[in-house]
Amino acid sequence: MTTEALARPRLFTTAWLPRYGVYAAILLLIAYNIAFTPYFLTLSNLRIQLIQAAPVVIVAMGMALVIGTEGIDLSVGSVMALAAALIPLYLGYGVIAAILVSLLAGVAVGLANGLLVAKVGLQPIVATLALFVGGRGLAVVISGGQLKDVRNEDFLYLGSGDLLQIPVLVWIAALLVAVVGFTVRRTVFGRRLLAIGGNRPAAELAGLPVKRVLIGVYVLCAVLASIAGLLSVSRIQSSDASAVGLLIELSAITAVVVGGTPLTGGRVRVLGTVAGALLMQLVVATMIKHDLPPSTTEMVQAVIILVAVYVARERRTR
């Protein structure tokens, strides 16, 4: 066997698979569902899949930015819970006021995370672990540990309404994806973000405002999580701080990694992250449609994560 022939499998795992593997997996899963899952191609089913994937997509956008700097944010689920707890308290002052308060809570959490990482020098996983634990506890205290119904029609339109026969929730998610994509590819902030993730010492030597960019990235991540939290409340028409955003940080990290963004930073694949979130949603939906137990779903997700991490490792060692 020639050297060229031996290099082909490695080229497949280091070049083609990280970039296009998630799209191929989605197409294969769609083909399987068309063949074996009744009513998969109905508009109502496609609508449900998009609505359920939208909050994960929004959170994963923020997570992709953080991972692009070689960081990680475990507190996004707790930020969603905080936003969910605050919304019913302030809806009496108007929808705009309630949304602003929820977003400000996200800014506060993002600032705390960013300062701990950039100024104090804590590892991101340690810095965000504190709010991963304490943030949800605070949300439960704020809500009194009770599920609260939300009946404001203007607010419910965000999560339950349609615009041009497409859910408003999906429009918002698409808009945020476009904003994040533009930020990464077309702004100075995005280029600095990638430079810091690619080689932080070199970025510091080049005089880039590393700490300021890191703080900004964690603030953006938390604000996106807040938006996902308030949209989740709007969709289910109730606020449950103990359930909203529970373990979504794992789904978001999975979507980012499966989508081709390396955990080592320096690169952010925005569309790949969206595809990663859709793939995981399709996996879950397929398992449910075929009456497979949740444990099987979790094992399949674990295999997908392992494959994605292995492929990323192969590319890094190339």
Side-chain angles (χ1 to χ4, degrees):
M1 187 177 290
T2 65
T3 304
E4 183 182 352
L6 287 170
R8 280 178 194 149
R10 188 170 178 79
L11 184 64
F12 176 76
T13 57
T14 58
W16 190 90
L17 202 53
R19 183 178 291 273
Y20 304 111
V22 64
Y23 304 107
I26 288 177
L27 291 176
L28 286 174
L29 204 51
I30 289 175
Y32 172 84
N33 278 291
I34 290 174
F36 300 106
T37 304
Y39 310 112
F40 175 76
L41 277 184
T42 59
L43 286 177
S44 61
N45 180 57
L46 296 176
R47 177 188 175 90
I48 289 170
Q49 302 311 319
L50 288 175
I51 289 175
Q52 291 183 340
V56 178
V57 169
I58 295 171
V59 175
M61 285 297 105
M63 189 66 75
L65 295 177
V66 172
I67 290 177
T69 65
E70 205 179 0
I72 202 156
D73 190 344
L74 298 181
S75 67
V76 287
S78 296
V79 175
M80 287 182 65
L82 270 175
L86 291 169
I87 280 291
L89 294 180
Y90 290 91
L91 270 179
Y93 299 96
V95 174
I96 301 297
I99 291 175
L100 285 177
V101 170
S102 296
L103 295 182
L104 284 174
V107 171
V109 172
L111 271 176
N113 287 334
L115 289 171
L116 288 173
V117 172
K119 297 286 188 181
V120 180
L122 292 180
Q123 289 294 320
I125 194 170
V126 176
T128 57
L129 184 61
L131 282 165
F132 167 76
V133 178
R136 187 171 296 278
L138 177 61
V140 172
V141 170
I142 290 173
S143 66
Q146 296 179 340
L147 187 148
K148 296 181 179 179
D149 292 332
V150 176
R151 292 288 178 259
N152 187 300
E153 293 297 330
D154 293 333
F155 179 71
L156 295 182
Y157 178 74
L158 296 174
S160 309
D162 281 3
L163 180 62
L164 302 177
Q165 298 187 326
I166 295 175
V168 174
L169 180 64
V170 175
W171 280 113
I172 294 173
L175 175 64
L176 293 173
V177 168
V179 170
V180 171
F182 180 83
T183 301
V184 170
R185 295 191 176 278
R186 302 293 183 185
T187 67
V188 174
F189 179 82
R191 288 194 289 274
R192 287 174 173 173
L193 180 159
L194 298 178
I196 292 169
N199 192 329
R200 184 167 172 177
E204 289 174 336
L205 287 173
L208 298 184
V210 174
K211 293 179 180 179
R212 201 161 65 232
V213 172
L214 285 175
I215 292 171
V217 166
Y218 282 91
V219 169
L220 282 176
C221 182
V223 168
L224 287 167
S226 293
I227 294 173
L230 62 91
L231 290 176
S232 295
V233 172
S234 177
R235 180 171 67 87
I236 61 179
Q237 302 184 8
S238 63
S239 171
D240 185 356
S242 61
V244 170
L246 190 63
L247 297 181
I248 198 169
E249 53 277 343
L250 299 182
S251 300
I253 293 169
T254 302
V256 174
V257 174
V258 171
T261 297
L263 289 170
T264 50
R267 188 183 301 115
V268 174
R269 295 199 183 283
V270 175
L271 292 181
T273 300
V274 176
L278 293 177
L279 174 63
M280 303 312 290
Q281 173 59 34
L282 275 176
V283 168
V284 173
T286 302
M287 297 292 177
I288 292 174
K289 291 282 186 183
H290 291 273
D291 295 325
L292 293 172
S295 56
T296 305
T297 305
E298 291 166 357
M299 285 189 287
V300 171
Q301 288 177 312
V303 170
I304 293 173
I305 294 169
L306 287 174
V307 170
V309 171
Y310 173 77
V311 170
R313 178 179 174 276
E314 281 288 296
R315 181 168 190 163
R316 191 170 65 248
T317 56
R318 186 184 178 189

